[in-house]
Each structure stands twice: as structure tokens, then as C-alpha cells.
Amino acid sequence: MFKQRVVFVHGSGSFGAAAWPRQHGMALGYDALFLRRHGYDAVAEPVESSFAEDTAIVLRSLSDDGRGAAGGHVVAHAQGAIAAMMAAVERPDLVHSLTLVEPACLSLTAELPATSAHISLMKPLFDVRHQLGDDDFQREFVRRVYAADLHQAATVEEKRSAHRLRLQSPSWEAPLHIVPGVPTLVLTGGWEPLYEEIAGYLRETGALHRTAPGGHRPQDSADGDRAIRQFIAEVSRSEPARAS
């Protein structure tokens, strides 16, 4: 029996299936792929991030790789939402729907108040990121974004994660300036004006907006998981059969 594909694109923390613990069960009803963005690997050293490479990874995951049809639904979190939207702009025929969880699509809202304030706060740090060590950058990043202190990375994975964070390009530099015309759900945690501002912008362009508990990871809550599943199911039911 043919299953529609659902592609999951992680943010800047955990990656692959580990980034979507609540959504693992969707593999029972869908052909679920949990992607790793460019530079994310459990063994290899991190490399500079690339919006273009991430977009290419998403598009490759939507190709007809012998399953009988191309395309699918894309669910993306934080920075992963940039590549998801860029893929939908480039190939809207392949993206049946977008679910954007706390999307870090700052290039769309750079002139709006909360986004502008965030860029003003973070840009000086990103401007010197190649002159800073991994620990120093991560510590200052966390202090500015979350107003919290962070212990120094100790394990190999913690050190690799700190290195990877420093190699991420600023979200506001993404070459994303238009919104794709595909069914879109924006899911936010209702905790941070920046993400609510982005959600409001996308809502004005036609997206649905839902909030759920969980802070920056509302997909981990029962309400957030339910919103994702219901939206994809509703879009799937409204589509003509693509394969049998």
C-alpha cells in the first residue's frame, strides 16, 4: 500500500530521529524520513552550514526514489524551517504541505520590531564568531538568547555541538524573501515574541497558526503533536490520490 512521505527537518540541536521523539509513530501511517541537515553527523566533524545544501537535502528526500510518486509533506523546526520554505519556493509541486515549528525565518520579518531587536542583539556576536572559541561563542549565544548561563562543554558530543553552533550562518542572512503558496501550519510555543511575530507574518500570508505548550519545542507536547498530525491528515484527505 502506498504511503505518503513526511519529511522531518531538525533545528540546531539534536538531529535525525532524535529531534522528533513524539513523531516517531507517524512512520506507521506515513513514509517518514528524519533528515540530517548539512554538517550534522554523529561522527564526522561539523562543517559550515549552508542554506543551499540544506534545501537540496530536503528536495532529494522528496524525489521519486522508486516509491511510485514524488513529493510529500515537510515538517521543520527552527532553523530547519528555512530550508523547508526554500524547497517549497523552488519546487512547490513537491511540497504537499509545510508544518513550521517555531520557524527561524528571520529574513522574512527582518524589519519588524521583535525580529529587528533580535538581530541587533545577535549580529555583533555572529560578526566575530570566527574569532571566538566554541565554548565562548556558545556561552554568549545562550546568555543572549535565553538569558541563562551554560556549563562548559565536557563530553565529545557536547564539544561537537558547540563547534557546530558556531558554524551556523545567521538565520536573517538566508536567501528567503517570499512565502511559498502551499498549505502551511505554523506551530509556536507562545513564549517568545520573535516566533510569534514570524507566525503572525505567515498567518497574514495564509498560514494557519496554532500554539501549544513546550516552549521552543511545542512538537514535544501532546497538543503540539496532535496539531501536526491533524494538519497533515487534513491536507492528505483534501488531495486527489497520487498513487495506489
Side-chain angles (χ1 to χ4, degrees), residues 157-171:
E157 180 50 40
E158 286 176 344
K159 291 179 179 179
R160 186 178 289 119
S161 179
H163 186 42
R164 188 181 294 119
L165 178 65
R166 188 172 61 84
L167 295 177
Q168 300 301 298
S169 298
S171 298

Side-chain angles (χ1 to χ4, degrees), residues 12-97:
S12 63
S14 55
F15 53 92
W20 303 94
R22 276 268 188 178
Q23 287 72 47
H24 289 173
M26 291 182 69
L28 295 174
Y30 297 94
D31 177 18
L33 294 183
F34 299 92
L35 303 187
R36 292 184 301 181
R37 290 168 47 218
H38 181 69
Y40 284 79
D41 189 277
V43 178
E45 284 299 307
V47 297
E48 290 274 353
S49 67
S50 168
F51 299 120
E53 288 293 335
D54 284 347
T55 302
I57 290 170
V58 174
L59 289 175
R60 284 196 298 270
S61 75
L62 295 170
S63 65
D64 180 1
D65 48 10
R67 57 195 171 99
H73 306 275
V74 182
V75 183
H77 179 223
Q79 286 86 348
I82 298 171
M85 290 196 75
M86 288 176 61
V89 169
E90 183 174 338
R91 290 294 306 273
D93 58 308
L94 293 181
V95 180
H96 301 171
S97 75

Side-chain angles (χ1 to χ4, degrees), residues 102 188-189 191 212-221:
E102 295 260 303
T188 59
W191 68 287
H216 189 47
R217 291 188 56 86
Q219 71 269 39
D220 291 346
S221 70

